[in-house]
Amino acid sequence: MFSYKIVILGDFGVGKTSLIRRFVDNTFSEDYLSTIGATISKKNIVSSDGTHSIMMIWDTEGRTEHNSFLKQYLNGSKAYVIVADSTRQDTVASLNHHIKMCQSIILDAPIYVAINKSDLESDFMIQRDEVKALSPYIRHVYLTSAKTGDTVNTIFNDINTAVVSG
Amino acid sequence: MSDSAKKPHPDEALQEAISPIVNRLIDRNFENSQDKIAEQIAPLIGKAIRVQIETQKDDVVDALYPVMGNMVSRYASKMFTQMLESINNKVQAGLSFNTVTRKIRARVKGVSESDLLVTENTGALIRAVLLIHRESGIVLSIAENSQTAIVEPEMLASMMSAIKSFVNDWVEKNSDYQELGEIEYGGSKIILESAGYCYMAVIIDGGASVKIYDTIRSMQENIVKQYGDEIRTFDGNLDNVSVDDIRTKMSALLQSSSENNKTKQKMHPLIYIAPALIIGWVGWVTYHQYQDDALSSKVNERIYKTPQLTSYRLSAESDAGHITLTGEVPLLYYKQLVSDVVRNVHGVKQVKNKIIAVSGYDNPMQISSNISYLLNGLNTDAGMNLTYEFNYPTVLISGTVWDQKRLHTVTEEIKKISGQLDASYNVEVTPPDIHEIIYFESNSYQISAENEMKLVALSKKLAQLDTKAIVYVEGYSDGIGSKNANKRIVDNRVKVVFDMLSKKLMVSQAIEISSHYEPPENIDVKTNPEFARFVAIRIGKEV
């Protein structure tokens, strides 16, 4: 029986909450509702080997100017999911900032990067290798779409497998 | 200018003209359509207040203060009145079972009685106790009341952790390091007690006493002390944490809380009566047992201190003042005496005398007395001089008796004393020193009257002796004259004495006679020849 916390962070409007809704409830909404403080979701996961896990997902608000509030929420996380918007280059550029913030709390915590909104067309190219090179603790860089559900479950299932396998 | 000053403006004139009509219309409309007006104005009132608060907050506060202040004051005083009434009722209950148990509980728990009283009035009920990993907000263990189970405790724990994080972060920036201690909502609260790598969240309905806080704190310390390492190294795998053991420990908080509530809410008055009856019964029995023991001791002491009864093994047992006497005495007199003595003891209501009066009573002192009486009687016989040493059940008879007959008498009499005595004898058979000398005149063998009296007295002594004794009769002469004459005279003297004893005085013992024709060696016949003319009679020892 496992029970652990993960934190999702990234700039505002990149689709952090949508990724979680897709994973937890398998729903999606086009409406944008800004997250204030933190929203917490719970997901029961049963691994292929039958191991039962409770994943507590902390969805943080996307504001970056008041990072101090966020730092407390990063404590005790087994993994970080840092989300960027494939259509907004500034959100990709600030990945490094988020990564450093996570590492300032837990240096060796695994980081999973999700480049969201892959269903939309982008006017710039994202080199996943370049992103992965930002930190040795980045386990994987995913291209996801909360809207279509593409690769969303994969991120969380990978995290769960990593936690359960120790 | 002057005209214009005098003539009103056309609008003003019109206003003046229709104003009374409009006012009447409004008044009439207001009276007829109050509901409609209220409906239209209502949304505006809220908006107007909000605007007023934004712009003139102090004015609004000043305006509402008398109303709100009164409301708060009245509500608070009403609540205080209810609480005081409740406390007064409990105080007035005086020495009720509740009051006594509360006093005892307060003493045992080390809290003030008023603290307990407030807790009872506020009716604290602990709904759940959660042990939460401090950094991750993960629930490590939960103990909850089955009737008020918490939905999604993991969510609750995470949200509380988020709130704690928020507050801690804010507090850190604004003052010294402090932590969120509790969250209140409605009539409930969540007490947060942090220690080490975890914190405990206790969800409680109603007021929590100081004791509850202390208990939570000490339980938290206890858990951290025992499971601190497991919690510190927690990596998400709950199998590495003693979840069940921690739950068991935390359940003690729930039990104490729910027991308190059950006692308060559900206990039927009969439940008070049963223990009260048992305690009363035990007290009554103990008291009467004590009374009976005291009375029994008193009665037994009185019997023992009664000289005539001291030597008997008697027992008195009291049952609510009813005395039962048991034991044995030799005579009915003693049995009656015991009853009389016991009846005079204060507190004795009734006497049941089961004492047995037995003859031949096997009492050492009585046996000793009996032996003493017997020997005193026997010693009145000149032929017996006996004493005894008694160490129950042995008796040693010592002394002297004149003959075997007396010795036989002694042994037979001792046998008659009851008590199955083990008797032994150190009795010497010593014949009495009986002797008599009968003097004769010269050449005479006639017994004088005086000497005959002596022989009569002698025969009486001999009559007291055993027939087996031997009476020796020996004759002597003064040696004056011829040998034949002396022989004849001595033989005759011996014969007359023999005849006197055997025939006239009927002495039953054997008489052995002997004649000596010379004077005894210790007598000087030249000066006192009359002292040699005699017959001596003596008793010989038996063989």
Side-chain angles (χ1 to χ4, degrees):
Chain A
M1 174 73 179
F2 283 78
S3 184
Y4 57 91
K5 164 188 178 181
I6 66 166
V7 181
I8 300 192
L9 63 163
D11 284 357
F12 68 93
V14 295
K16 299 182 291 294
T17 306
S18 295
L19 282 173
I20 294 166
R21 291 275 69 77
R22 172 61 70 189
F23 174 61
V24 175
D25 302 327
N26 197 22
T27 58
F28 179 80
S29 171
E30 294 282 1
D31 298 334
Y32 175 69
L33 292 171
S34 176
T35 303
I36 298 169
T39 303
I40 298 162
S41 304
K42 173 185 159 187
K43 180 73 174 177
N44 288 306
I45 305 170
V46 180
S47 308
S48 54
D49 65 351
T51 306
H52 186 84
S53 300
I54 297 172
M55 182 188 280
M56 303 303 298
I57 308 165
W58 288 48
D59 179 15
T60 59
E61 65 176 298
R63 291 189 302 170
T64 52
E65 61 270 28
H66 294 118
N67 286 333
S68 58
F69 284 170
L70 192 63
K71 276 191 174 178
Q72 289 278 344
Y73 299 151
L74 298 178
N75 284 328
S77 182
K78 291 301 291 181
Y80 297 109
V81 179
I82 302 175
V83 187
D85 184 344
S86 65
T87 64
R88 286 160 55 201
Q89 198 163 8
D90 59 322
T91 63
V92 179
S94 61
L95 280 174
N96 197 33
H97 168 76
H98 294 301
I99 290 166
K100 282 181 178 169
M101 192 162 61
C102 291
Q103 288 179 349
S104 72
I105 301 297
I106 306 172
L107 178 64
D108 57 351
I111 295 169
Y112 298 80
V113 177
I115 310 296
N116 197 27
K117 305 186 184 178
S118 63
D119 57 296
L120 299 179
E121 285 190 11
S122 178
D123 54 359
F124 68 98
M125 288 294 291
I126 296 171
Q127 295 297 327
R128 283 204 280 180
D129 291 344
E130 286 178 12
V131 173
K132 195 166 188 309
L134 289 173
S135 167
Y137 300 108
I138 294 176
R139 294 288 177 87
H140 207 280
V141 179
Y142 304 88
L143 284 174
T144 62
S145 170
K147 186 174 182 179
T148 62
D150 183 31
T151 326
V152 176
N153 288 356
T154 309
I155 305 175
F156 295 103
N157 287 332
D158 285 355
I159 292 171
N160 186 56
T161 304
V163 171
V164 170
S165 62
Chain B
M1 289 296 287
S2 61
D3 289 345
S4 64
K6 286 178 183 176
K7 283 185 180 177
H9 192 275
D11 289 350
E12 288 178 354
L14 180 64
Q15 196 175 341
E16 281 181 14
I18 65 170
S19 181
I21 302 167
V22 171
N23 283 340
R24 278 200 301 277
L25 281 172
I26 289 173
D27 288 344
R28 191 170 64 186
N29 200 34
F30 182 77
E31 286 173 5
N32 295 337
S33 313
Q34 282 187 0
D35 291 343
K36 191 176 179 183
I37 292 168
E39 194 178 321
Q40 288 171 342
I41 288 179
L44 295 177
I45 291 175
K47 194 173 179 180
I49 290 173
R50 275 197 295 276
V51 170
Q52 186 70 5
I53 287 172
E54 280 173 13
T55 56
Q56 302 290 333
K57 187 178 176 183
D58 290 342
D59 284 352
V60 175
V61 171
D62 286 347
L64 290 177
Y65 180 78
V67 181
M68 296 300 289
N70 263 339
M71 282 172 65
V72 172
S73 173
R74 284 179 64 187
Y75 180 76
S77 67
K78 188 182 174 187
M79 291 304 292
F80 266 110
T81 306
Q82 285 178 352
M83 193 169 173
L84 280 173
E85 274 178 9
S86 176
I87 290 172
N88 282 338
N89 286 338
K90 287 183 186 301
V91 172
Q92 283 166 6
L95 283 173
S96 69
F97 184 70
N98 271 341
T99 314
V100 174
T101 53
R102 185 166 53 247
K103 282 177 191 293
I104 294 168
R105 276 188 289 129
R107 185 62 63 89
V108 171
K109 291 178 177 178
V111 298
S112 72
E113 197 186 341
S114 60
D115 200 4
L116 269 184
L117 206 54
V118 170
T119 305
E120 286 178 8
N121 277 293
T122 48
L125 170 67
I126 295 176
R127 293 177 58 191
V129 185
L130 293 90
L131 188 70
I132 300 165
H133 191 246
R134 193 168 181 166
E135 288 194 331
S136 64
I138 297 299
V139 178
L140 297 172
S141 186
I142 176 171
E144 57 187 337
N145 196 318
S146 58
Q147 293 172 338
T148 54
I150 293 175
V151 181
E152 299 284 10
E154 293 86 2
M155 290 296 292
L156 178 71
S158 291
M159 288 309 299
M160 281 195 296
S161 298
I163 295 168
K164 259 175 75 72
S165 296
F166 175 82
V167 172
N168 290 351
D169 193 275
W170 186 83
V171 168
E172 271 183 27
K173 280 207 259 325
N174 290 280
S175 63
D176 296 335
Y177 181 77
Q178 290 177 37
E179 287 219 46
L180 182 63
E182 61 185 47
I183 302 167
E184 284 196 16
Y185 58 100
S188 304
K189 65 171 69 172
I190 302 172
I191 298 170
L192 304 168
E193 188 62 41
S194 300
Y197 289 84
C198 61
Y199 69 94
M200 189 179 276
V202 181
I203 303 167
I204 184 165
D205 292 342
S209 66
V210 175
K211 181 68 180 171
I212 288 182
Y213 282 92
D214 289 344
T215 309
I216 292 168
R217 204 164 292 134
S218 63
M219 180 166 290
Q220 168 79 323
E221 285 173 8
N222 185 273
I223 288 172
V224 169
K225 202 172 178 182
Q226 196 168 350
Y227 306 103
D229 288 342
E230 296 176 15
I231 295 167
R232 184 174 55 79
T233 57
F234 174 67
D235 61 350
N237 189 353
L238 289 172
D239 294 338
N240 295 332
V241 181
S242 305
V243 176
D244 292 334
D245 293 344
I246 295 171
R247 181 185 297 118
T248 306
K249 273 185 179 293
M250 296 194 301
S251 295
L253 270 175
L254 299 177
Q255 283 165 9
S256 63
S257 162
S258 62
E259 277 169 12
N260 188 32
N261 275 274
K262 276 180 191 169
T263 307
K264 190 155 62 70
Q265 293 168 4
K266 297 179 179 176
M267 276 182 74
H268 191 277
L270 281 175
I271 294 173
Y272 293 106
I273 293 171
L277 285 174
I278 292 169
I279 290 168
W281 180 77
V282 169
W284 186 84
V285 168
T286 307
Y287 173 73
H288 281 276
Q289 185 67 43
Y290 169 77
Q291 292 279 75
D292 284 336
D293 288 348
L295 187 58
S296 296
S297 299
K298 205 158 119 183
V299 170
N300 279 312
E301 187 182 354
R302 188 70 66 87
I303 293 172
Y304 183 76
K305 285 185 175 175
T306 304
Q308 300 96 313
L309 303 174
T310 302
S311 58
Y312 304 123
R313 295 172 194 166
L314 301 173
S315 173
E317 198 74 34
S318 172
D319 181 9
H322 295 249
I323 305 290
T324 303
L325 298 166
T326 52
E328 292 179 345
V329 291
L331 300 167
L332 276 173
Y333 163 75
Y334 292 120
K335 182 176 177 177
Q336 188 56 45
L337 180 61
V338 178
S339 287
D340 294 343
V341 166
V342 171
R343 276 197 189 93
N344 289 327
V345 177
H346 179 71
V348 173
K349 296 174 184 170
Q350 194 178 346
V351 177
K352 191 180 283 183
N353 195 338
K354 291 185 175 178
I355 290 172
I356 299 167
V358 289
S359 56
Y361 183 67
D362 187 11
N363 177 286
M365 291 194 69
Q366 186 64 36
I367 292 168
S368 178
S369 298
N370 290 343
I371 296 169
S372 180
Y373 292 144
L374 173 67
L375 294 190
N376 284 339
L378 291 174
N379 284 339
T380 57
D381 178 359
M384 294 190 196
N385 183 19
L386 300 168
T387 58
Y388 74 101
E389 291 174 33
F390 183 62
N391 184 16
Y392 184 82
T394 62
V395 60
L396 173 64
I397 308 292
S398 307
T400 57
V401 291
W402 281 350
D403 49 33
Q404 289 291 347
K405 184 182 174 184
R406 283 180 165 76
L407 182 58
H408 180 72
T409 303
V410 172
T411 57
E412 288 303 310
E413 288 300 318
I414 289 292
K415 279 179 190 172
K416 288 176 184 172
I417 292 175
S418 63
Q420 299 185 342
L421 282 173
D422 179 11
S424 57
Y425 298 89
N426 183 21
V427 178
E428 194 176 352
V429 178
T430 306
D433 184 19
I434 297 174
H435 65 273
E436 197 59 74
I437 293 174
I438 305 296
Y439 289 98
F440 290 89
E441 294 294 324
S442 180
N443 292 320
S444 170
Y445 52 86
Q446 187 174 357
I447 298 170
S448 67
E450 184 187 353
N451 283 332
E452 192 171 337
M453 289 304 290
K454 285 183 180 176
L455 288 174
V456 170
L458 180 69
S459 70
K460 286 181 179 174
K461 287 183 180 177
L462 289 173
Q464 294 175 18
L465 286 179
D466 193 348
T467 54
K468 290 178 182 176
I470 297 169
V471 180
Y472 295 93
V473 177
E474 299 171 72
Y476 290 88
S477 82
D478 55 9
I480 299 170
S482 67
K483 191 175 182 179
N484 286 334
N486 280 319
K487 182 178 181 293
R488 191 181 65 249
I489 197 73
V490 168
D491 287 343
N492 283 331
R493 285 171 181 165
V494 169
K495 187 174 184 301
V496 294
V497 170
F498 175 81
D499 288 345
M500 174 68 79
L501 291 173
S502 63
K503 293 176 182 173
K504 191 174 181 179
L505 298 175
M506 304 297 284
V507 171
S508 56
Q509 288 84 359
I511 300 172
E512 191 175 310
I513 57 172
S514 61
S515 297
H516 303 275
Y517 305 123
E518 294 85 25
E521 288 176 358
N522 57 344
I523 293 174
D524 183 4
V525 293
K526 287 180 181 172
T527 55
N528 297 305
E530 67 276 16
F531 288 154
R533 294 191 289 270
F534 67 88
V535 171
I537 305 147
R538 63 180 176 86
I539 301 296
K541 279 188 181 178
E542 290 174 283
V543 179

